[in-house]
Amino acid sequence: MKKIPLVSSLILLLCSKATFANVIGSDLNNFNPTADGLGYVTVESGEIHKPGYFNLGLFLDYGIQSLPQSNLGGEAPNDHRITSNIHGAVGVAKGWSLGFSVTNLIHDSVAENSLGNALSDSGRESFRLDSKVRFVNTKKAKIGALLGVNFNNIENNPYLGDGPGPSIAAGAFYERTTSRTLRWAVNAGYRMRNTGDPLLASPIEPIENQIFYSLGLNYWHQNWKTHFIGELYGSSATNSPLNETDRSPSNLEILVGAKQKFFKRMEGHIGVTRGLYQGLSTPEFRFYAGLNFYFGPPTGEIYGRGEHGGMVKKFEVKDRDGDGVRDVDDRCPGTPANTMVDRYGCPISIDSAILDDDFDGVDNADDQCPNTKTGVAVDSVGCPRRKGDNSVAYESMDSDADGVLNDYDLCPDTPAGVRVTERGCEEDKIQKVDLGNLNFITGTAKLTPNSRKRFRKKISYLEKIRNKLNKIVIEGHTDSVGGAQYNQGLSQRRAETIKLILVNELKLPGRKIQARGYGESRPIASNKTKLGRLKNRRVEMNVITH
């Protein structure tokens, strides 16, 4: 008997030879890791790769007492089998993925004079193609269909017959999420096996069609960051073939395992299975371990720190109209410069009078110089403010001599001798509102629904002090990930988003509210650390009263 080392499973792909007459293999084996590696181990979940995303995986399993024993008094096989499964899947369209799976017998150790010894060898057992489609996708439930074609590569297998063709399996899945930590899924279907003619003088006849079924449970342990998985899976033959062995033509197996994420793209599996009775391809015990690697679209992909911390997939910013929405997602390419847009890059129909098209801190309605270049200091009517050709730049001046430079002074006309805060306003007339961790949809100026609710609660008190309001200054900031010009524009649009909520929902006068975007120019922490970048991605609001 040929012996192949365990590590050879890493290179056993489609080029491996077909195995010879291993009596269990083929699609009788219900331990088939899912091609997409999502959710459970063998049970299909409601998760599906997004278009262009894909995975590659490798599982190894070691089974004890898998082979059948002759009912004629033959010696027990006492077998030990090592099998590999190489699989992968790719998202083709929203809610649809295609996958493949290759199963190889790496090593088999069988006692002498047993039925299993005469019928086992190493090599490829099967090659499977899968299609998975999801029809229903809600927060609580996911429903879809499965279709697979299995090409058996085992010669002279009595359970397949002589000259078998591919088998076709059609089924469905249902997954239910019961809480943040618990979900379960059910799979069921019918497998049509294109069996060949019975082998001559064999005490075993081919199994025709099968019904297959499975149940999976996934519990997420938040403290350990680990998924604990339990599964029950099996199949039942629709005919009663001649089978002079100690094995039933049906099988049932239970699995207990764990799944842990490692690094950014890899998940590891480990677990054990137990056959609940002596069925075909059901070992007494099975130990398995596996890895799955996940990848994003191969073009234009880079990695960077996400808006909420952590290393995430990003894309090179290709935004030809400069609206903050990538070209690949922009449904309105060619939007005029500095136009307020939604997450799809299309203009938002709002009153342009409350916007600040040239980002100088003065609203369009009050701006007498509407095309001031970004970064130029302006006066109260939006025009460049200069004292003369040789004068010091306005930003570095302190007009009211309160010790706070103009570019940081929110109250530039404070009377002389008045004690002021770091922002240049009297202590009892300015309040810095902590907006909390506001989250925006990535690459856009639109608040996520949860952040919008939290923000709305934070600002509700402004309605009570409406008559005392002098000015509200909203300042948007980013970290240093991405281009400086892109970040400046994005921070300005986000500050304007906050202003729009104040004007449209609280009905506060737009002329009293300023939206300023500073991009990455005013960090409050180091951009070299994850925590520092998180602190720098912020929106600050200062409320100034009479």
Side-chain angles (χ1 to χ4, degrees), residues 117-431:
N117 183 57
L119 296 173
S120 62
D121 197 2
S122 58
R124 189 173 70 249
E125 291 186 341
S126 66
F127 172 63
R128 190 177 80 242
L129 293 174
D130 291 319
S131 179
K132 181 177 175 182
V133 180
R134 185 177 59 210
F135 304 123
V136 176
N137 182 25
T138 67
K139 186 176 181 180
K140 292 291 185 180
K142 295 176 174 57
I143 303 174
L146 308 165
L147 181 64
V149 180
N150 193 86
F151 300 90
N152 296 297
N153 300 120
I154 305 175
E155 300 175 2
N156 298 323
N157 187 327
Y159 293 108
L160 293 173
D162 184 22
S167 60
I168 299 175
F173 65 84
Y174 174 81
E175 184 176 40
R176 186 78 179 178
T177 300
T178 59
S179 68
R180 292 182 59 188
T181 59
L182 185 65
R183 56 180 170 149
W184 56 270
V186 176
N187 296 177
Y190 190 78
R191 183 180 293 122
M192 296 168 283
R193 305 181 75 244
N194 187 8
T195 57
D197 297 326
L199 301 184
L200 295 177
S202 172
I204 300 172
E205 289 183 345
I207 292 179
E208 295 178 359
N209 301 331
Q210 294 172 295
I211 297 172
F212 62 88
Y213 41 84
S214 59
L215 170 66
L217 188 69
N218 187 314
Y219 174 73
W220 166 243
H221 195 290
Q222 292 178 308
N223 294 333
W224 296 354
K225 306 298 182 183
T226 302
H227 292 270
F228 290 98
I229 299 171
E231 296 184 0
L232 184 69
Y233 51 88
S235 63
S236 299
T238 58
N239 66 325
S240 300
L242 176 66
N243 180 28
E244 295 294 336
T245 73
D246 63 346
R247 300 281 168 159
S248 165
S250 302
N251 52 52
L252 188 64
E253 196 168 349
I254 189 170
L255 176 151
V256 177
K259 178 173 69 171
Q260 176 73 52
K261 185 175 182 179
F262 300 98
F263 308 111
K264 297 184 292 290
R265 302 180 177 179
M266 185 178 74
E267 284 183 340
H269 287 260
I270 191 169
V272 61
T273 76
R274 166 76 166 163
L276 297 184
Y277 59 82
Q278 285 189 317
L280 289 177
S281 188
T282 306
E284 186 173 341
F285 284 101
R286 184 199 314 269
F287 304 91
Y288 71 87
L291 293 174
N292 265 299
F293 298 86
Y294 301 91
F295 305 92
T299 58
E301 182 179 288
I302 59 174
Y303 282 85
R305 295 292 174 179
E307 294 195 11
H308 317 306
M311 187 69 74
V312 297
K313 293 182 178 68
K314 288 182 176 286
F315 293 81
E316 294 176 2
V317 179
K318 296 181 179 178
D319 180 16
R320 283 172 289 187
D321 57 5
D323 60 0
V325 180
R326 295 180 303 147
D327 289 347
V328 294
D329 300 323
D330 201 333
R331 298 182 183 177
C332 300
T335 304
N338 302 325
T339 300
M340 192 75 169
V341 298
D342 58 20
R343 62 182 300 188
Y344 304 110
C346 295
I348 300 175
S349 298
I350 55 176
D351 183 3
S352 63
I354 65 172
L355 295 180
D356 179 14
D357 291 337
D358 56 2
F359 301 157
D360 62 358
V362 178
D363 295 340
N364 292 348
D366 302 322
D367 201 335
Q368 297 180 14
C369 300
N371 298 314
T372 306
K373 293 183 179 180
T374 302
V376 175
V378 298
D379 55 21
S380 60
V381 294
C383 293
R385 181 170 179 175
R386 297 176 181 174
K387 284 190 173 182
D389 294 338
N390 299 321
S391 65
V392 179
Y394 174 70
E395 296 96 325
S396 63
M397 294 178 57
D398 181 10
S399 302
D400 55 5
D402 60 0
V404 181
L405 297 179
N406 290 350
D407 66 335
Y408 202 62
D409 197 336
L410 298 181
C411 301
D413 300 318
T414 306
V418 174
R419 183 179 181 135
V420 299
T421 67
E422 62 177 4
R423 298 309 303 271
C425 298
E426 297 179 59
E427 292 181 353
D428 60 344
K429 294 184 179 181
I430 182 171
Q431 179 183 2

